[in-house]
Structure formats: C-alpha cells, structure tokens
Amino acid sequence: DQQVKQNSPSLSVQEGRISILNCDYTNSMFDYFLWYKKYPAEGPTFLISISSIKDKNEDGRFTVFLNKSAKHLSLHIVPSQPGDSAVYFCAAHQRTSGTYKYIFGTGTRLKVLA
Amino acid sequence: ETGVTQSPTHLIKTRGQQVTLRCSSQSGHNTVSWYQQALGQGPQFIFQYYREEENGRGNFPPRFSGLQFPNYSSELNVNALELDDSALYLCASSLAAGEQFFGPGTRLTVL
C-alpha cells in the first residue's frame, strides 16, 4: 500500500526553466510534508517542508504547494540549474501514539540540461 | 560539528548470515531512524530509537533489530539474511521530532 506516490520516475528540463515535481498521498492524517534531494553515493538532504495547515511555502528558488482536497503536493524549482540534477523524494510525516515516522515516495530523477 | 556517519560503506554477505550496521548520529541528536532503500524505491522506515528506546517500527520482521547507545550512536542488526535484504541502509539522526539528517548509507549485497 503506497501511501505516498511519485508517478513520474524521471523529468528533464532545460536550464533556466521551471521544474515541477509532483507527489500524491492517500492518508489525510499526515501533518507535514517534506522534499529531499539525493545525489549518488550520498544520503538524502532536506530541501523544504510544508505543514498540512498551509498551502504554500517558499525558500529561494524552491516553492512547495499543497492541495489538501486533492491530496497532492508539488515542488517548483525556478530557475532550474544543472546542479539541481538529482533524485527528489517526497516524504510525509505521520505521528501515531507518541511515535512518528516518515513515509517516502519512490523518487523522481530530475535532469537539468545545460 | 560532525555529520551522520555510517559504517561500513559496502558489505557483501551470503544468505542466512547475520549483519550489523553502525551509525554515529550528529552531535546533539538523540533520535536515530533506520531506513531500507531497495533499488528504484524510496527509503522504507524500519524503526526509530529515542534515548535508547525503540520509538516506532515499520513493517519489517523481528529479524531486523536495533540498539541505541548512551552516546546516541546506533546499530541495525539483521539475522538470517535473505536475498531481498540487498539494499542501501540509511540512518538518519534528529533532535526528537526535528529535521532528520541522513548519513551516506551502507550498501548491503546478499548473495
């Protein structure tokens, strides 16, 4: 049962253009969402997060949008740079009975073409 | 400030063997989470330790066990290895429910 889904395994974008990465989820009890970036041979690195009570969070070139009614979030990168080429994971945070965990999607490989 | 480190970086074992993976958390962090990332998949939560106690567990069998030490470093133990246990094992440390910082992972291959 995949509670967090990233349906696009890969995406190619021209340098300077917008990259849009999408994520869908099924559990309405998630209280916040995160995006991680992963380079080869490294662990995931936190990028940006959004609380379930907000619909937008912006940090420099990165903006995350949350549509709770559609159970959908997206990460926008503007402008895209070649250094943004990596695998991006969407993750949802769930708190249950005093414990918590993160549930990750399968990732989207972004390639920014120079 | 030292980041999260994991050892070893690579490991090859045969089916039925046991393995121990190690993680040193970032300075000041008291919570460690372990994840399994199979090829082409996202990280799957195995379990989490907070102040030496297991604080949450994903859908993994009991042959996956762990420990957290007083210095908040941690071990992941896997008994009776199966071929499907081949994966990248990631450790992440945090201060309680704060942002998680991941180590580079241990690549385990089971033959």
Side-chain angles (χ1 to χ4, degrees), chain B residues 28-103:
Chain B
H29 287 180
N30 55 16
T31 302
V32 172
S33 302
W34 284 92
Y35 294 83
Q36 179 195 67
Q37 186 180 6
L39 202 60
Q41 301 297 314
Q44 299 290 309
F45 176 74
I46 303 174
F47 44 55
Q48 177 188 93
Y49 279 83
Y50 170 68
R51 292 188 173 181
E52 303 177 61
E53 300 274 338
E54 189 178 289
N55 189 41
R57 190 176 182 93
N59 296 328
F60 281 82
R63 58 189 186 84
F64 285 79
S65 63
L67 278 175
Q68 188 180 30
F69 299 100
N71 67 354
Y72 301 131
S73 66
S74 177
E75 284 182 357
L76 164 66
N77 297 292
V78 187
N79 292 323
L81 283 166
E82 300 177 0
L83 297 179
D84 284 350
D85 296 334
S86 295
L88 179 69
Y89 288 84
L90 293 162
C91 160
S93 76
S94 61
L95 184 60
E99 179 187 336
Q100 292 192 330
F101 292 81
F102 283 85

Side-chain angles (χ1 to χ4, degrees), chain A:
Chain A
D1 178 26
Q2 192 84 32
Q3 295 188 70
V4 177
K5 298 178 187 178
Q6 294 176 257
N7 292 318
S8 299
S10 64
L11 175 69
S12 289
V13 170
Q14 208 65 38
E15 181 180 6
R17 305 295 291 268
I18 184 171
S19 295
I20 300 176
L21 295 96
N22 293 304
C23 179
D24 297 295
Y25 62 96
T26 57
N27 189 338
S28 57
M29 299 304 292
F30 292 140
D31 55 1
Y32 66 91
F33 303 89
L34 311 93
W35 285 94
Y36 286 84
K37 179 168 73 172
K38 187 179 186 301
Y39 293 118
E42 295 181 13
T45 304
F46 170 76
L47 202 53
I48 191 169
S49 65
I50 186 166
S51 165
S52 60
I53 63 172
K54 299 204 168 182
D55 55 19
K56 178 182 174 181
N57 188 26
E58 197 169 347
D59 184 2
R61 297 186 297 114
F62 303 92
T63 303
V64 57
F65 296 92
L66 175 62
N67 182 334
K68 284 188 71 175
S69 60
K71 294 191 175 70
H72 176 84
L73 64 155
S74 60
L75 174 68
H76 292 211
I77 307 174
V78 183
S80 301
Q81 299 173 353
D84 296 330
S85 297
V87 177
Y88 289 77
F89 291 101
C90 166
H93 177 269
Q94 181 179 28
R95 181 179 290 277
T96 310
S97 304
T99 71
Y100 68 94
K101 62 182 180 182
Y102 294 89
I103 299 171
F104 283 75
T106 53
T108 296
R109 182 177 301 277
L110 173 66
K111 189 170 184 179
V112 180
L113 307 168

Side-chain angles (χ1 to χ4, degrees), chain B residues 13-17 80-83 110-111:
Chain B
K13 290 284 189 178
T14 55
R15 201 167 44 178
Q17 284 189 310
L81 283 166
E82 300 177 0
L83 297 179
V110 182
L111 303 176

